[in-house]
């Protein structure tokens, strides 16, 4: 019985050392910002309502994929919105044809003041960030006297 336990223990140790080699060469992707070309914003908001805002961004090649939105609250009702993508870096041929893609940005209105959005749209010739900017008033409902 002791021999069986020792053999089983040796087999277990050997499998730990030889079965986990995945030949990991490191990361095969990196994150990047994608340029917004259009945002379909409502003319006004209502408090406590969630909106699906259509955001059109530029996908530069077939190796870049949408990951989501990075939203920064810069003031109570000011938001900077950046589209985040991942770029696959494997030795794969990427089609360099840029295409416009639509993603949905879900936004819930919590305050009664006007909302100010800045959607990252790329960089100017001097390397400064550029934005598509929108101001959306919030409808607080009818005034009751």
């Amino acid at each position: 019985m002791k021999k069986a336990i020792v053999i089983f223990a040796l087999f277990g140790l050997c499998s730990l050392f030889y079965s986990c080699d995945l030949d990991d060469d490191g990361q095969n992707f990196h994150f990047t910002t994608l340029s917004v070309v259009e945002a379909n914003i409502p003319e006004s908001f209502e408090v406590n309502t969630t909106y699906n805002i259509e955001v059109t961004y530029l996908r530069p090649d077939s190796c870049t994929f949408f990951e989501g939105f990075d939203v920064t609250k810069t003031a109570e009702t000011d938001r900077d919105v950046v589209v985040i993508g991942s770029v696959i870096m494997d030795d794969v041929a990427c089609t360099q044809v840029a295409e416009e893609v639509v993603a949905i940005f879900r936004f819930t209105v919590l305050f009664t003041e006007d909302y100010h959005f800045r959607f990252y749209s790329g960089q100017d010739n001097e390397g400064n960030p550029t934005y598509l900017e929108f101001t959306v008033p919030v409808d607080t409902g009818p005034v009751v006297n």
Side-chain angles (χ1 to χ4, degrees):
M1 182 69 175
K2 288 183 182 180
K3 287 183 183 180
I5 293 174
V6 170
I7 291 173
F8 183 70
L10 285 174
F11 178 73
L13 285 173
C14 288
S15 66
L16 283 175
F17 288 109
Y18 295 107
S19 66
C20 294
D21 184 16
L22 300 177
D23 293 329
D24 186 11
D25 295 329
Q27 285 186 334
N28 66 343
F29 72 95
H30 68 273
F31 292 108
T32 189
T33 56
L34 300 173
S35 299
V36 173
V37 294
E38 184 180 355
N40 188 3
I41 305 282
E43 290 184 21
S44 65
F45 286 147
E46 290 184 24
V47 177
N48 297 321
T49 303
T50 300
Y51 294 88
N52 290 332
I53 299 172
E54 290 183 358
V55 177
T56 304
Y57 65 92
L58 190 62
R59 181 180 179 213
D61 56 47
S62 64
C63 290
T64 303
F65 300 94
F66 175 77
E67 292 297 330
F69 294 97
D70 181 22
V71 181
T72 304
K73 181 178 177 180
T74 58
E76 186 171 76
T77 59
D78 294 351
R79 304 292 187 272
D80 284 354
V81 181
V82 179
V83 177
I84 302 298
S86 59
V87 180
I88 304 299
M89 300 182 309
D90 288 338
D91 293 330
V92 184
C94 297
T95 309
Q96 295 298 318
V97 178
E99 66 176 322
E100 292 183 359
V101 181
V102 176
I104 301 297
F105 167 57
R106 291 184 52 81
F107 184 74
T108 302
V109 178
L110 300 175
F111 302 103
T112 57
E113 296 85 22
D114 291 355
Y115 277 85
H116 306 280
F117 292 94
R118 294 187 336 152
F119 290 87
Y120 176 79
S121 61
Q123 296 181 343
D124 64 15
N125 293 337
E126 297 173 1
N128 299 314
T130 59
Y131 298 92
L132 299 177
E133 298 189 36
F134 301 91
T135 299
V136 183
V138 176
D139 184 10
T140 56
V143 177
V144 180
N145 290 354

